[in-house]
């Protein structure tokens, strides 16, 4: 009698700010939910960059550590790497997600452990393109000047940001401790009437997964988050079906 082959297990590497407590909960939660309906399995492996407050100085110092993290994770021969700080990328100038992804990928190549690299910033941009969005409304936890830089970055990628809310929380640990369902009420203050897509959390640290499908069902238009977009891009790089139950339009298996 032939023993059935075990499902393929993929190693997900995560480059994470030291104070981030959400990337390692929401992305595994989505992929664990996917394991209930798809054959693949996943393990998760992280390397951390020091950052406590979401300020430009700390973000830049943190991003400078990302090469070390990519090197450490490639020692584990991960199948894909996800860089988990959207604002750190977007505050470094237009198109920086491409620069970061290329550089960190080269680190893995040089370590004889080649793996694709996904940034949450690039994943959000690509996710909006996949959904065919032209106009976007978003919620971010950052201080208003940093949120404006995120808005400018997204605008520079060809989208019109019709409205945004900046929650103005400088402490990154406080951001990660928020109740995701609070976003169900916050979105009521967001003018998304002209938007094609609502970005419920333009930050992988602000919890939102529990609210994504709830808000989408309520407002009747696509809703995504930085974490949802990152998960989509991780699955795409692995050549797997981009499906996670009840995680919004982008991960419904149609794209």
């Amino acid at each position: 009698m032939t023993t059935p082959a075990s499902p393929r297990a993929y190693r997900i590497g995560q480059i994470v700010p030291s104070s981030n407590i959400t990337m390692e909960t929401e992305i595994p939660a989505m992929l664990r939910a996917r394991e209930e309906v798809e054959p693949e399995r996943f393990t998760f492996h992280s390397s951390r960059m020091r950052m406590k407050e979401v300020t430009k100085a700390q973000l830049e110092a943190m991003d400078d550590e990302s090469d070390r993290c990519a090197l450490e994770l490639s020692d584990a021969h991960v199948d894909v790497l996800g860089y988990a700080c959207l604002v750190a990328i977007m505050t470094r100038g237009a198109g920086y997600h491409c620069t970061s992804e290329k550089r960190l990928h080269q680190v893995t190549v040089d370590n004889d452990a080649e793996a694709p690299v996904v940034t949450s910033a690039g994943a959000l941009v690509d996710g909006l393109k996949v959904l065919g969005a032209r106009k976007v409304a978003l919620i971010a936890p950052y201080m208003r000047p940093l949120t404006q830089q995120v808005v400018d970055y997204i605008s520079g990628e060809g989208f019109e940001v019709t409205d945004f809310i900046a929650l103005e929380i400088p402490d990154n640990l406080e951001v990660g401790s928020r109740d995701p369902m609070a976003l169900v009420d916050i979105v009521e203050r967001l003018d998304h009437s002209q938007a094609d897509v609502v970005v419920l959390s333009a930050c992988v640290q602000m919890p939102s997964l529990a609210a994504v499908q709830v808000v989408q069902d309520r407002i009747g238009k696509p809703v995504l988050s930085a974490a949802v977009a990152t998960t989509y891009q991780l699955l795409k790089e692995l050549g797997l079906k981009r499906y996670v139950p009840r995680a919004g339009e982008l991960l419904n298996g149609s794209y």
Side-chain angles (χ1 to χ4, degrees):
M1 185 175 184
T2 303
T3 303
S6 299
R8 169 76 189 273
Y10 294 90
R11 297 173 187 164
I12 308 296
Q14 302 192 83
I15 300 174
V16 185
S18 59
S19 52
N20 187 297
I21 56 175
T22 307
M23 180 75 162
E24 293 153 310
T25 56
E26 288 202 338
I27 288 183
M30 281 184 266
L31 294 179
R32 293 292 182 233
R34 187 185 184 280
E35 287 178 343
E36 297 295 321
V37 293
E38 297 290 341
E40 298 84 17
R41 297 294 178 261
F42 305 91
T43 61
F44 303 93
H45 314 275
S46 299
S47 180
R48 309 185 88 74
M49 311 168 286
R50 191 84 193 281
M51 188 269 282
K52 295 178 70 175
E53 293 190 351
V54 190
T55 64
K56 185 171 178 60
Q58 286 202 26
L59 289 168
E60 289 183 355
M62 181 198 72
D63 182 58
D64 290 341
E65 294 187 52
S66 60
D67 289 50
R68 170 185 56 78
C69 294
L71 182 62
E72 291 175 357
L73 289 167
S74 65
D75 284 345
H77 286 214
V78 295
D79 294 294
V80 65
L81 284 79
Y83 184 121
C85 191
L86 178 140
V87 70
I89 296 292
M90 290 191 174
T91 58
R92 299 210 99 168
Y96 182 71
H97 68 277
C98 297
T99 301
S100 175
E101 289 166 5
K102 182 178 179 180
R103 188 186 74 246
L104 297 177
H105 172 69
Q106 189 61 47
V107 170
T108 71
V109 172
D110 293 343
N111 198 33
D112 295 324
E114 181 175 0
V117 177
V118 171
T119 62
S120 53
L124 182 62
V125 168
D126 289 344
L128 291 171
K129 291 177 180 178
V130 168
L131 291 173
R134 292 178 299 170
K135 298 181 178 182
V136 181
L138 65 85
I139 300 170
Y142 318 120
M143 302 302 287
R144 189 175 181 88
L146 283 177
T147 304
Q148 186 62 58
Q149 287 188 276
V150 170
V151 168
D152 292 345
Y153 194 100
I154 292 172
S155 298
E157 291 290 331
F159 305 99
E160 179 184 347
V161 179
T162 61
D163 192 29
F164 69 90
I165 292 174
L167 298 180
E168 299 203 276
I169 306 169
D171 185 275
N172 203 41
L173 199 57
E174 182 181 345
V175 171
S177 301
R178 290 184 58 82
D179 177 2
M181 296 309 290
L183 289 165
V184 176
D185 294 326
I186 292 170
V187 79
E188 296 296 325
R189 309 200 313 261
L190 183 71
D191 182 2
H192 54 78
S193 58
Q194 301 301 312
D196 304 310
V197 174
V198 169
V199 179
L200 199 60
S201 176
C203 173
V204 292
Q205 170 73 329
M206 184 164 72
S208 61
L209 179 57
V212 167
Q213 191 69 48
V214 173
V215 173
Q216 179 170 297
D217 292 344
R218 179 174 295 187
I219 69 175
K221 62 180 61 176
V223 171
L224 79 160
S225 69
V228 165
T230 301
T231 300
Y232 176 93
Q233 202 67 22
L234 292 170
L235 290 169
K236 180 180 178 181
E237 291 291 350
L238 293 173
L240 301 177
K241 181 179 179 181
R242 277 79 80 186
Y243 175 68
V244 172
R246 292 193 59 77
E249 178 74 12
L250 187 63
L251 286 172
N252 72 4
S254 299
Y255 301 94

